Amino acid sequence: EDAADNDFSTTITAGDLGTVIIDGDTPDITGCTASDGDYGVGEAVSITCTFDSSVDVTGTPQITLSNAQVVDYASGTGSANLVFTYTVAEGHTDSSDLAVSSIAANGGNIEDAADNDFSTTITGGDLGTVTVDGDAPDLSSVAAADDTYGIGESFGITVTWDETVIVSGTPTITLSNGATVDYASGSNSAALLFTYTVAEGHTDSSDLSVSSYSGTIADAAGGAAAAASGNLGSVVIDGDTPDI
């Protein structure tokens, strides 16, 4: 009431407060997706987490996956879709059904236009048919039949890994005498055969070994096979014909 004891009127004139917007809803994750596939060591998985409103990102938020790997934010600020990039490394826990387990600010933040901080609740964290193979093929052995090999003679060199490998193209192995030997057979098994034919001028060797390989040899998930090296046993190379 006023000084004359008049009660107030319930009529409001010009009650509009201007451009005042109330947003009492935190940005929530509605789902996370990735391209279906088998991912091996060294391969990258792009994971998109979608919020129910556009968000701005500061710092480097992180998601944790069901195989316990922690993955950094990569891009997407200003939109509803944030991208996190996961690169599989040797020793990561395998997973046949990868999912996003949690999200954390990691010293940064994710917030909407009204400065509401993001919700840490994950809805739809299953990434679909995403398989992670964190074990690249490891070398088990190299072997050849013990003998002395002269010009024109051929013998097989078997390189064996600890799991099935798939060959693309024609990989080669390099031997300790400098010779380069082509892949012959064995793709989709653990043992690959390379066939070496001794030619005139090849450097002699009384103890032949494998020095390295080049080309594409990987497991089904794309993890590159480990380096190949090792002694072949009592394998002697004589690359010099008897000259008068």
Side-chain angles (χ1 to χ4, degrees), residues 194-214:
F194 296 78
T195 302
Y196 176 28
T197 301
V198 181
E200 172 75 30
H202 282 191
T203 302
D204 293 345
S205 173
S206 60
D207 188 22
L208 194 66
S209 63
V210 176
S211 301
S212 63
Y213 86 84
S214 63

Side-chain angles (χ1 to χ4, degrees), residues 45-49 63 71-77 81-85:
V45 187
S46 183
I47 300 170
T48 300
C49 289
I63 55 174
V71 181
D72 288 346
Y73 158 77
S75 63
T77 187
N81 301 309
L82 300 187
V83 178
F84 299 77
T85 303

Side-chain angles (χ1 to χ4, degrees), residues 16-17 27 29 37 101 110 123 146 166 190 198 242 244:
D16 191 337
L17 296 177
I29 292 177
S101 301
I110 301 171
T123 300
D146 292 343
I166 299 169
V198 181
I244 298 176

Side-chain angles (χ1 to χ4, degrees), residues 159-240:
V159 181
T160 303
W161 278 272
D162 66 349
E163 63 174 301
T164 296
V165 291
I166 299 169
V167 172
S168 296
T170 307
T172 61
I173 55 174
T174 299
L175 306 179
S176 54
N177 68 341
T180 301
V181 181
D182 286 347
Y183 159 78
S185 63
S187 186
N188 287 301
S189 74
L192 301 185
L193 179 67
F194 296 78
T195 302
Y196 176 28
T197 301
V198 181
E200 172 75 30
H202 282 191
T203 302
D204 293 345
S205 173
S206 60
D207 188 22
L208 194 66
S209 63
V210 176
S211 301
S212 63
Y213 86 84
S214 63
T216 302
I217 302 172
D219 61 18
S229 63
N231 195 290
L232 293 174
S234 299
V235 175
V236 177
I237 299 297
D238 181 352
D240 183 23

